[in-house]
Amino acid sequence: MTTTLIDLKTAVRSDGDVRVTLAGELDFHTARQVEPRLTALAAYGHRSLVLDLSGISFCDSAGIDLFRRVHHRCYSAGTRLRLMEVPPLVAKSMRVLGVDRELRLVVA
């Protein structure tokens, strides 16, 4: 049995924006690991939450659903969520699922 890992690094900028860099595989198990941190950041009242996905090597539907939940939490808190450097295959999956209609994506 292998353990999938994900790395999450947070940088808070002086202008009220928060940038979170994710690296690794985002699946059912790792999405549950990072969700508490992301939802806490979303609810904190930052002006903007930027998720840098350039280091994501794999993302399944659990990861995409996580982005939707974080988006809803951000919306409730008045925080803008942006997904930056989205890998092309992840962006394609989001388009197929229609998630790109509610989330702001910047494709790598």
Side-chain angles (χ1 to χ4, degrees), residues 8-65:
L8 183 145
K9 292 183 180 146
T10 306
V12 179
R13 296 178 14 178
S14 61
D15 61 1
D17 289 350
V18 176
R19 185 178 191 96
V20 177
T21 303
L22 294 166
E25 297 183 2
L26 191 55
D27 60 18
F28 177 76
H29 299 290
T30 58
R32 291 190 309 174
Q33 291 172 2
V34 299
E35 183 168 11
R37 180 71 177 139
L38 293 179
T39 55
L41 288 169
Y44 191 75
H46 297 287
R47 188 176 61 130
S48 178
L49 176 59
V50 177
L51 299 183
D52 180 342
L53 306 182
S54 61
I56 294 292
S57 58
F58 173 81
C59 181
D60 67 7
S61 61
I64 293 171
D65 194 44

